[in-house]
């Protein structure tokens, strides 16, 4: 599958389950491979990934539900909990700060570049999971859940949580996407 096809198949899958079409080890290897391949400004390697599987997957979403004290519908959280795992995306603020000190003229840009790299990593892993026949979706419950996540996984304080990606076997395909007039967003000048 080429990159365009992977991006076409990458969708927000909300009907996921614990039945992966491949072994967990294959998923973890794909995540490691893509984490190494995704570029980062100044080669800072600021991205950090935690993969919650098995009991940790269930406990994670229970903790997220608790952090919101019922303000997020239980059915929604249960849909994420139903997945086989969750990829937690972070960037390490210590790495960013070190480069800010080394390259002061660019200091304000390093947190932006760390977020950009995280976004590229999220899309790469999301597409890579889809290549494996796995569905996923992307959530942003941070910063409300930051403390609970760091405590559950013993995450260093310097790790800044960016996003959460529950994934699993595909229970149902999402509705087809409507085709947009892409010329409204892409302009070519000669």
């Amino acid at each position: 599958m080429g990159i365009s096809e992977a991006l076409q198949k990458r969708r927000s899958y909300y009907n996921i389950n614990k039945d992966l079409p491949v072994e967990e080890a294959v998923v973890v290897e794909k995540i490691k491979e893509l984490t190494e391949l995704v570029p980062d400004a100044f080669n800072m390697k600021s991205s950090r990934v935690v993969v919650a599987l098995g009991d940790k997957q269930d406990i994670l979403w229970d903790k997220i539900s608790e952090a919101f004290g019922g303000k997020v519908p239980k059915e929604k959280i249960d849909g994420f909990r139903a997945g086989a795992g969750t990829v937690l995306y972070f960037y390490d603020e210590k790495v960013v700060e070190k480069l800010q000190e080394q390259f002061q003229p660019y200091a304000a840009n390093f947190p932006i570049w760390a977020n950009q790299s995280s976004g590229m990593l999220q899309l790469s892993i999301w597409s890579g999971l889809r290549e494996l026949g796995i569905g996923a979706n992307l959530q942003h419950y941070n910063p409300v859940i930051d403390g609970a996540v760091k405590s559950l996984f013993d995450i260093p304080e310097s790790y800044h949580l960016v996003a959460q990606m529950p994934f699993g076997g595909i229970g149902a395909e999402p509705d087809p996407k409507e085709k947009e007039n892409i010329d409204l967003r892409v302009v070519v000048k000669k």
Side-chain angles (χ1 to χ4, degrees):
M1 182 181 311
I3 190 165
S4 293
E5 186 179 354
L7 288 171
Q8 287 172 354
K9 290 185 180 225
R10 185 236 36 93
R11 299 288 308 282
S12 291
Y13 284 86
Y14 294 107
N15 188 336
I16 55 176
N17 57 54
K18 297 193 183 306
D19 300 321
L20 291 174
V22 297
E23 297 293 322
E24 286 179 349
V26 173
V27 175
V28 171
E29 280 308 309
K30 177 62 80 174
I31 290 169
K32 287 179 178 180
E33 172 191 9
L34 294 169
T35 301
E36 188 172 10
L37 291 173
V38 168
D40 214 342
F42 284 70
N43 198 30
M44 68 176 145
K45 298 182 182 179
S46 60
S47 292
R48 303 291 184 263
V49 174
V50 173
V51 183
L53 297 167
D55 290 341
K56 289 294 188 185
Q57 159 70 0
D58 296 340
I59 295 167
L60 169 65
W61 288 100
D62 290 343
K63 294 284 186 192
I64 290 173
S65 182
E66 288 172 19
F68 279 96
K71 292 179 183 166
V72 176
K74 183 176 179 350
E75 305 78 42
K76 188 172 190 177
I77 296 291
D78 286 348
F80 305 137
R81 188 181 192 274
T86 298
V87 182
L88 298 164
Y89 295 93
F90 301 85
Y91 70 82
D92 189 345
E93 291 175 334
K94 280 186 179 179
V95 171
V96 170
E97 290 166 3
K98 183 178 177 187
L99 286 165
Q100 285 176 309
E101 291 170 12
Q102 281 182 286
F103 302 99
Q104 291 183 7
Y106 303 107
N109 289 331
F110 281 104
I112 296 166
W113 293 334
N115 271 305
Q116 289 171 345
S117 182
S118 180
M120 289 187 285
L121 182 58
Q122 292 163 42
L123 181 60
S124 296
I125 290 176
W126 200 349
S127 299
L129 290 172
R130 190 62 191 94
E131 284 180 328
L132 296 174
I134 296 170
N137 60 77
L138 192 62
Q139 301 303 312
H140 299 91
Y141 285 113
N142 44 297
V144 176
I145 66 170
D146 289 5
V149 168
K150 285 182 177 181
S151 175
L152 177 62
F153 296 108
D154 195 27
I155 303 292
E157 276 304 309
S158 65
Y159 283 27
H160 178 85
L161 183 60
V162 179
Q164 309 82 53
M165 183 179 288
F167 65 87
I170 297 171
E173 290 290 330
D175 292 335
K177 276 187 173 181
E178 284 188 36
K179 196 78 171 148
E180 69 175 294
N181 180 356
I182 197 62
D183 292 331
L184 296 176
R185 293 199 300 147
V186 179
V187 177
V188 178
K189 302 283 186 180
K190 288 188 176 187

